[in-house]
PDB file of all heavy atoms in Angstrom:
ATOM      1  N   HIS B  10       9.521  -2.181   5.098  1.00  0.00           N
ATOM      2  CA  HIS B  10       8.576  -3.268   4.882  1.00  0.00           C
ATOM      3  C   HIS B  10       7.393  -2.806   4.046  1.00  0.00           C
ATOM      4  O   HIS B  10       6.919  -3.566   3.173  1.00  0.00           O
ATOM      5  CB  HIS B  10       8.054  -3.816   6.236  1.00  0.00           C
ATOM      6  CG  HIS B  10       7.336  -5.129   6.125  1.00  0.00           C
ATOM      7  ND1 HIS B  10       7.950  -6.328   5.823  1.00  0.00           N
ATOM      8  CD2 HIS B  10       6.001  -5.398   6.146  1.00  0.00           C
ATOM      9  CE1 HIS B  10       7.036  -7.292   5.791  1.00  0.00           C
ATOM     10  NE2 HIS B  10       5.813  -6.748   5.905  1.00  0.00           N
ATOM     11  N   ALA B  11       6.919  -1.599   4.317  1.00  0.00           N
ATOM     12  CA  ALA B  11       5.756  -1.098   3.553  1.00  0.00           C
ATOM     13  C   ALA B  11       6.070  -0.959   2.112  1.00  0.00           C
ATOM     14  O   ALA B  11       5.162  -1.229   1.227  1.00  0.00           O
ATOM     15  CB  ALA B  11       5.308   0.245   4.100  1.00  0.00           C
ATOM     16  N   MET B  12       7.320  -0.616   1.728  1.00  0.00           N
ATOM     17  CA  MET B  12       7.703  -0.527   0.304  1.00  0.00           C
ATOM     18  C   MET B  12       7.739  -1.876  -0.321  1.00  0.00           C
ATOM     19  O   MET B  12       7.275  -2.080  -1.449  1.00  0.00           O
ATOM     20  CB  MET B  12       9.013   0.205   0.156  1.00  0.00           C
ATOM     21  CG  MET B  12       9.232   0.609  -1.332  1.00  0.00           C
ATOM     22  SD  MET B  12      10.862   1.295  -1.671  1.00  0.00           S
ATOM     23  CE  MET B  12      11.771  -0.215  -1.714  1.00  0.00           C
ATOM     24  N   LYS B  13       8.290  -2.886   0.412  1.00  0.00           N
ATOM     25  CA  LYS B  13       8.233  -4.244  -0.067  1.00  0.00           C
ATOM     26  C   LYS B  13       6.813  -4.713  -0.326  1.00  0.00           C
ATOM     27  O   LYS B  13       6.530  -5.336  -1.385  1.00  0.00           O
ATOM     28  CB  LYS B  13       8.970  -5.155   0.873  1.00  0.00           C
ATOM     29  CG  LYS B  13       8.898  -6.656   0.423  1.00  0.00           C
ATOM     30  CD  LYS B  13       9.589  -7.534   1.403  1.00  0.00           C
ATOM     31  CE  LYS B  13       9.482  -9.011   0.970  1.00  0.00           C
ATOM     32  NZ  LYS B  13      10.208  -9.935   1.858  1.00  0.00           N
ATOM     33  N   VAL B  14       5.899  -4.424   0.534  1.00  0.00           N
ATOM     34  CA  VAL B  14       4.533  -4.819   0.416  1.00  0.00           C
ATOM     35  C   VAL B  14       3.901  -4.099  -0.796  1.00  0.00           C
ATOM     36  O   VAL B  14       3.127  -4.688  -1.546  1.00  0.00           O
ATOM     37  CB  VAL B  14       3.734  -4.544   1.660  1.00  0.00           C
ATOM     38  CG1 VAL B  14       2.246  -4.638   1.471  1.00  0.00           C
ATOM     39  CG2 VAL B  14       4.154  -5.500   2.754  1.00  0.00           C
ATOM     40  N   ALA B  15       4.263  -2.830  -1.048  1.00  0.00           N
ATOM     41  CA  ALA B  15       3.724  -2.100  -2.208  1.00  0.00           C
ATOM     42  C   ALA B  15       4.164  -2.785  -3.464  1.00  0.00           C
ATOM     43  O   ALA B  15       3.377  -2.911  -4.433  1.00  0.00           O
ATOM     44  CB  ALA B  15       4.179  -0.656  -2.161  1.00  0.00           C
ATOM     45  N   CYS B  16       5.431  -3.247  -3.534  1.00  0.00           N
ATOM     46  CA  CYS B  16       5.900  -3.993  -4.717  1.00  0.00           C
ATOM     47  C   CYS B  16       5.157  -5.246  -4.825  1.00  0.00           C
ATOM     48  O   CYS B  16       4.793  -5.686  -5.947  1.00  0.00           O
ATOM     49  CB  CYS B  16       7.381  -4.174  -4.643  1.00  0.00           C
ATOM     50  SG  CYS B  16       8.345  -2.648  -4.877  1.00  0.00           S
ATOM     51  N   THR B  17       4.991  -5.990  -3.718  1.00  0.00           N
ATOM     52  CA  THR B  17       4.339  -7.306  -3.768  1.00  0.00           C
ATOM     53  C   THR B  17       2.899  -7.144  -4.283  1.00  0.00           C
ATOM     54  O   THR B  17       2.413  -7.962  -5.051  1.00  0.00           O
ATOM     55  CB  THR B  17       4.304  -7.901  -2.318  1.00  0.00           C
ATOM     56  OG1 THR B  17       5.652  -8.073  -1.857  1.00  0.00           O
ATOM     57  CG2 THR B  17       3.581  -9.269  -2.358  1.00  0.00           C
ATOM     58  N   SER B  18       2.263  -6.043  -3.894  1.00  0.00           N
ATOM     59  CA  SER B  18       0.884  -5.802  -4.350  1.00  0.00           C
ATOM     60  C   SER B  18       0.881  -5.675  -5.908  1.00  0.00           C
ATOM     61  O   SER B  18      -0.019  -6.194  -6.550  1.00  0.00           O
ATOM     62  CB  SER B  18       0.379  -4.483  -3.733  1.00  0.00           C
ATOM     63  OG  SER B  18      -0.848  -4.130  -4.275  1.00  0.00           O
ATOM     64  N   MET B  19       1.845  -4.985  -6.496  1.00  0.00           N
ATOM     65  CA  MET B  19       1.877  -4.886  -7.938  1.00  0.00           C
ATOM     66  C   MET B  19       1.988  -6.234  -8.578  1.00  0.00           C
ATOM     67  O   MET B  19       1.310  -6.563  -9.594  1.00  0.00           O
ATOM     68  CB  MET B  19       3.081  -4.016  -8.358  1.00  0.00           C
ATOM     69  CG  MET B  19       2.962  -2.546  -7.907  1.00  0.00           C
ATOM     70  SD  MET B  19       4.546  -1.698  -8.376  1.00  0.00           S
ATOM     71  CE  MET B  19       4.471  -0.309  -7.327  1.00  0.00           C
ATOM     72  N   ALA B  20       2.890  -7.133  -7.992  1.00  0.00           N
ATOM     73  CA  ALA B  20       3.107  -8.442  -8.566  1.00  0.00           C
ATOM     74  C   ALA B  20       1.830  -9.308  -8.441  1.00  0.00           C
ATOM     75  O   ALA B  20       1.476  -9.961  -9.405  1.00  0.00           O
ATOM     76  CB  ALA B  20       4.302  -9.139  -7.825  1.00  0.00           C
ATOM     77  N   ILE B  21       1.167  -9.213  -7.306  1.00  0.00           N
ATOM     78  CA  ILE B  21      -0.034  -9.980  -7.051  1.00  0.00           C
ATOM     79  C   ILE B  21      -1.114  -9.556  -8.022  1.00  0.00           C
ATOM     80  O   ILE B  21      -1.783 -10.370  -8.616  1.00  0.00           O
ATOM     81  CB  ILE B  21      -0.491  -9.869  -5.624  1.00  0.00           C
ATOM     82  CG1 ILE B  21       0.471 -10.633  -4.714  1.00  0.00           C
ATOM     83  CG2 ILE B  21      -1.932 -10.382  -5.435  1.00  0.00           C
ATOM     84  CD1 ILE B  21       0.121 -10.416  -3.183  1.00  0.00           C
ATOM     85  N   GLY B  22      -1.312  -8.264  -8.157  1.00  0.00           N
ATOM     86  CA  GLY B  22      -2.383  -7.751  -9.026  1.00  0.00           C
ATOM     87  C   GLY B  22      -2.167  -8.173 -10.464  1.00  0.00           C
ATOM     88  O   GLY B  22      -3.113  -8.530 -11.172  1.00  0.00           O
ATOM     89  N   SER B  23      -0.928  -8.230 -10.930  1.00  0.00           N
ATOM     90  CA  SER B  23      -0.625  -8.570 -12.284  1.00  0.00           C
ATOM     91  C   SER B  23      -0.853 -10.044 -12.656  1.00  0.00           C
ATOM     92  O   SER B  23      -1.273 -10.381 -13.756  1.00  0.00           O
ATOM     93  CB  SER B  23       0.814  -8.134 -12.687  1.00  0.00           C
ATOM     94  OG  SER B  23       1.723  -8.947 -11.917  1.00  0.00           O
ATOM     95  N   ASN B  24      -0.550 -10.940 -11.708  1.00  0.00           N
ATOM     96  CA  ASN B  24      -0.764 -12.345 -11.891  1.00  0.00           C
ATOM     97  C   ASN B  24      -0.640 -13.033 -10.499  1.00  0.00           C
ATOM     98  O   ASN B  24       0.416 -13.454 -10.119  1.00  0.00           O
ATOM     99  CB  ASN B  24       0.198 -12.955 -12.848  1.00  0.00           C
ATOM    100  CG  ASN B  24      -0.237 -14.368 -13.269  1.00  0.00           C
ATOM    101  OD1 ASN B  24      -0.881 -15.102 -12.548  1.00  0.00           O
ATOM    102  ND2 ASN B  24       0.140 -14.756 -14.492  1.00  0.00           N
ATOM    103  N   VAL B  25      -1.793 -13.181  -9.850  1.00  0.00           N
ATOM    104  CA  VAL B  25      -1.793 -13.716  -8.469  1.00  0.00           C
ATOM    105  C   VAL B  25      -1.276 -15.150  -8.457  1.00  0.00           C
ATOM    106  O   VAL B  25      -0.572 -15.579  -7.584  1.00  0.00           O
ATOM    107  CB  VAL B  25      -3.110 -13.566  -7.830  1.00  0.00           C
ATOM    108  CG1 VAL B  25      -4.186 -14.437  -8.490  1.00  0.00           C
ATOM    109  CG2 VAL B  25      -3.093 -13.902  -6.335  1.00  0.00           C
ATOM    110  N   ALA B  26      -1.583 -15.951  -9.527  1.00  0.00           N
ATOM    111  CA  ALA B  26      -1.221 -17.340  -9.544  1.00  0.00           C
ATOM    112  C   ALA B  26       0.247 -17.485  -9.574  1.00  0.00           C
ATOM    113  O   ALA B  26       0.858 -18.284  -8.863  1.00  0.00           O
ATOM    114  CB  ALA B  26      -1.843 -18.032 -10.723  1.00  0.00           C
ATOM    115  N   TRP B  27       0.963 -16.687 -10.384  1.00  0.00           N
ATOM    116  CA  TRP B  27       2.439 -16.687 -10.459  1.00  0.00           C
ATOM    117  C   TRP B  27       2.968 -16.198  -9.117  1.00  0.00           C
ATOM    118  O   TRP B  27       3.925 -16.774  -8.580  1.00  0.00           O
ATOM    119  CB  TRP B  27       2.954 -15.818 -11.638  1.00  0.00           C
ATOM    120  CG  TRP B  27       4.444 -15.638 -11.507  1.00  0.00           C
ATOM    121  CD1 TRP B  27       5.404 -16.517 -11.808  1.00  0.00           C
ATOM    122  CD2 TRP B  27       5.101 -14.484 -10.911  1.00  0.00           C
ATOM    123  NE1 TRP B  27       6.625 -16.019 -11.525  1.00  0.00           N
ATOM    124  CE2 TRP B  27       6.483 -14.759 -10.951  1.00  0.00           C
ATOM    125  CE3 TRP B  27       4.652 -13.264 -10.354  1.00  0.00           C
ATOM    126  CZ2 TRP B  27       7.450 -13.862 -10.460  1.00  0.00           C
ATOM    127  CZ3 TRP B  27       5.616 -12.345  -9.858  1.00  0.00           C
ATOM    128  CH2 TRP B  27       6.978 -12.676  -9.931  1.00  0.00           C
ATOM    129  N   SER B  28       2.470 -15.150  -8.550  1.00  0.00           N
ATOM    130  CA  SER B  28       3.035 -14.530  -7.381  1.00  0.00           C
ATOM    131  C   SER B  28       3.069 -15.472  -6.168  1.00  0.00           C
ATOM    132  O   SER B  28       3.917 -15.376  -5.287  1.00  0.00           O
ATOM    133  CB  SER B  28       2.275 -13.241  -6.997  1.00  0.00           C
ATOM    134  OG  SER B  28       1.018 -13.575  -6.449  1.00  0.00           O
ATOM    135  N   MET B  29       2.175 -16.435  -6.155  1.00  0.00           N
ATOM    136  CA  MET B  29       2.086 -17.353  -5.044  1.00  0.00           C
ATOM    137  C   MET B  29       3.284 -18.313  -5.003  1.00  0.00           C
ATOM    138  O   MET B  29       3.632 -18.796  -3.933  1.00  0.00           O
ATOM    139  CB  MET B  29       0.770 -18.167  -5.105  1.00  0.00           C
ATOM    140  CG  MET B  29      -0.438 -17.305  -4.808  1.00  0.00           C
ATOM    141  SD  MET B  29      -2.015 -18.185  -5.130  1.00  0.00           S
ATOM    142  CE  MET B  29      -1.977 -19.447  -3.915  1.00  0.00           C
ATOM    143  N   TYR B  30       3.920 -18.605  -6.135  1.00  0.00           N
ATOM    144  CA  TYR B  30       5.095 -19.529  -6.125  1.00  0.00           C
ATOM    145  C   TYR B  30       6.242 -18.877  -5.341  1.00  0.00           C
ATOM    146  O   TYR B  30       6.788 -19.517  -4.399  1.00  0.00           O
ATOM    147  CB  TYR B  30       5.489 -19.813  -7.514  1.00  0.00           C
ATOM    148  CG  TYR B  30       4.519 -20.697  -8.331  1.00  0.00           C
ATOM    149  CD1 TYR B  30       3.677 -20.096  -9.272  1.00  0.00           C
ATOM    150  CD2 TYR B  30       4.516 -22.053  -8.116  1.00  0.00           C
ATOM    151  CE1 TYR B  30       2.780 -20.952 -10.016  1.00  0.00           C
ATOM    152  CE2 TYR B  30       3.632 -22.883  -8.786  1.00  0.00           C
ATOM    153  CZ  TYR B  30       2.765 -22.306  -9.762  1.00  0.00           C
ATOM    154  OH  TYR B  30       1.845 -23.114 -10.424  1.00  0.00           O
ATOM    155  N   TYR B  31       6.539 -17.617  -5.593  1.00  0.00           N
ATOM    156  CA  TYR B  31       7.654 -17.011  -4.829  1.00  0.00           C
ATOM    157  C   TYR B  31       7.185 -16.590  -3.473  1.00  0.00           C
ATOM    158  O   TYR B  31       7.895 -16.552  -2.513  1.00  0.00           O
ATOM    159  CB  TYR B  31       8.291 -15.863  -5.662  1.00  0.00           C
ATOM    160  CG  TYR B  31       7.655 -14.495  -5.490  1.00  0.00           C
ATOM    161  CD1 TYR B  31       7.957 -13.689  -4.409  1.00  0.00           C
ATOM    162  CD2 TYR B  31       6.786 -14.043  -6.492  1.00  0.00           C
ATOM    163  CE1 TYR B  31       7.386 -12.457  -4.285  1.00  0.00           C
ATOM    164  CE2 TYR B  31       6.230 -12.740  -6.335  1.00  0.00           C
ATOM    165  CZ  TYR B  31       6.536 -11.972  -5.253  1.00  0.00           C
ATOM    166  OH  TYR B  31       6.011 -10.734  -5.125  1.00  0.00           O
ATOM    167  N   GLY B  32       5.820 -16.206  -3.370  1.00  0.00           N
ATOM    168  CA  GLY B  32       5.347 -15.793  -2.105  1.00  0.00           C
ATOM    169  C   GLY B  32       5.379 -16.880  -1.002  1.00  0.00           C
ATOM    170  O   GLY B  32       5.790 -16.609   0.126  1.00  0.00           O
ATOM    171  N   LEU B  33       5.028 -18.058  -1.376  1.00  0.00           N
ATOM    172  CA  LEU B  33       5.058 -19.182  -0.445  1.00  0.00           C
ATOM    173  C   LEU B  33       6.531 -19.578  -0.214  1.00  0.00           C
ATOM    174  O   LEU B  33       6.879 -20.006   0.951  1.00  0.00           O
ATOM    175  CB  LEU B  33       4.315 -20.346  -0.974  1.00  0.00           C
ATOM    176  CG  LEU B  33       2.799 -20.140  -0.860  1.00  0.00           C
ATOM    177  CD1 LEU B  33       2.015 -21.059  -1.794  1.00  0.00           C
ATOM    178  CD2 LEU B  33       2.337 -20.387   0.591  1.00  0.00           C
ATOM    179  N   SER B  34       7.405 -19.409  -1.179  1.00  0.00           N
ATOM    180  CA  SER B  34       8.795 -19.697  -0.916  1.00  0.00           C
ATOM    181  C   SER B  34       9.375 -18.713   0.158  1.00  0.00           C
ATOM    182  O   SER B  34      10.116 -19.102   1.032  1.00  0.00           O
ATOM    183  CB  SER B  34       9.625 -19.572  -2.199  1.00  0.00           C
ATOM    184  OG  SER B  34       9.262 -20.535  -3.176  1.00  0.00           O
ATOM    185  N   GLN B  35       8.998 -17.457   0.024  1.00  0.00           N
ATOM    186  CA  GLN B  35       9.412 -16.462   1.027  1.00  0.00           C
ATOM    187  C   GLN B  35       8.842 -16.775   2.385  1.00  0.00           C
ATOM    188  O   GLN B  35       9.585 -16.683   3.397  1.00  0.00           O
ATOM    189  CB  GLN B  35       8.981 -15.085   0.594  1.00  0.00           C
ATOM    190  CG  GLN B  35       9.791 -14.503  -0.568  1.00  0.00           C
ATOM    191  CD  GLN B  35       9.462 -13.048  -0.873  1.00  0.00           C
ATOM    192  OE1 GLN B  35       8.401 -12.522  -0.581  1.00  0.00           O
ATOM    193  NE2 GLN B  35      10.452 -12.343  -1.467  1.00  0.00           N
ATOM    194  N   GLY B  36       7.618 -17.210   2.470  1.00  0.00           N
ATOM    195  CA  GLY B  36       6.985 -17.600   3.738  1.00  0.00           C
ATOM    196  C   GLY B  36       7.761 -18.714   4.391  1.00  0.00           C
ATOM    197  O   GLY B  36       8.071 -18.658   5.582  1.00  0.00           O
ATOM    198  N   ALA B  37       8.073 -19.809   3.620  1.00  0.00           N
ATOM    199  CA  ALA B  37       8.763 -20.933   4.147  1.00  0.00           C
ATOM    200  C   ALA B  37      10.188 -20.508   4.587  1.00  0.00           C
ATOM    201  O   ALA B  37      10.715 -20.926   5.686  1.00  0.00           O
ATOM    202  CB  ALA B  37       8.849 -22.062   3.162  1.00  0.00           C
ATOM    203  N   MET B  38      10.808 -19.698   3.801  1.00  0.00           N
ATOM    204  CA  MET B  38      12.177 -19.242   4.030  1.00  0.00           C
ATOM    205  C   MET B  38      12.219 -18.421   5.274  1.00  0.00           C
ATOM    206  O   MET B  38      13.147 -18.472   6.132  1.00  0.00           O
ATOM    207  CB  MET B  38      12.733 -18.446   2.880  1.00  0.00           C
ATOM    208  CG  MET B  38      14.219 -18.208   2.915  1.00  0.00           C
ATOM    209  SD  MET B  38      14.845 -17.318   1.501  1.00  0.00           S
ATOM    210  CE  MET B  38      14.361 -15.680   1.979  1.00  0.00           C
ATOM    211  N   ASN B  39      11.228 -17.598   5.523  1.00  0.00           N
ATOM    212  CA  ASN B  39      11.166 -16.705   6.669  1.00  0.00           C
ATOM    213  C   ASN B  39      11.104 -17.534   8.012  1.00  0.00           C
ATOM    214  O   ASN B  39      11.643 -17.201   9.018  1.00  0.00           O
ATOM    215  CB  ASN B  39       9.965 -15.794   6.636  1.00  0.00           C
ATOM    216  CG  ASN B  39      10.148 -14.748   5.530  1.00  0.00           C
ATOM    217  OD1 ASN B  39      11.232 -14.535   5.028  1.00  0.00           O
ATOM    218  ND2 ASN B  39       9.085 -14.082   5.166  1.00  0.00           N
ATOM    219  N   VAL B  40      10.329 -18.616   7.932  1.00  0.00           N
ATOM    220  CA  VAL B  40      10.281 -19.565   9.157  1.00  0.00           C
ATOM    221  C   VAL B  40      11.698 -20.092   9.404  1.00  0.00           C
ATOM    222  O   VAL B  40      12.101 -20.159  10.603  1.00  0.00           O
ATOM    223  CB  VAL B  40       9.246 -20.668   8.907  1.00  0.00           C
ATOM    224  CG1 VAL B  40       9.258 -21.640  10.081  1.00  0.00           C
ATOM    225  CG2 VAL B  40       7.871 -20.094   8.699  1.00  0.00           C
ATOM    226  N   ILE B  41      12.363 -20.552   8.399  1.00  0.00           N
ATOM    227  CA  ILE B  41      13.688 -21.135   8.546  1.00  0.00           C
ATOM    228  C   ILE B  41      14.631 -20.049   9.093  1.00  0.00           C
ATOM    229  O   ILE B  41      15.425 -20.324   9.992  1.00  0.00           O
ATOM    230  CB  ILE B  41      14.243 -21.698   7.211  1.00  0.00           C
ATOM    231  CG1 ILE B  41      13.359 -22.901   6.768  1.00  0.00           C
ATOM    232  CG2 ILE B  41      15.691 -22.151   7.380  1.00  0.00           C
ATOM    233  CD1 ILE B  41      13.673 -23.372   5.341  1.00  0.00           C
TER     234      ILE B  41
END
């Protein structure tokens, strides 16, 4: 999980607005 978060951090830093589209998709998918 920590490695996934490290990668997510790179994506967020580079363009947080874009990262939120897939980030929220993952959040909704995780609930399902």
Side-chain angles (χ1 to χ4, degrees):
H10 192 74
M12 195 187 78
K13 177 180 178 176
V14 167
C16 289
T17 301
S18 173
M19 295 176 199
I21 289 174
S23 65
N24 192 331
V25 66
W27 168 79
S28 74
M29 290 171 66
Y30 290 102
Y31 88 82
L33 284 159
S34 294
Q35 288 188 334
M38 192 180 80
N39 290 344
V40 176
I41 297 172

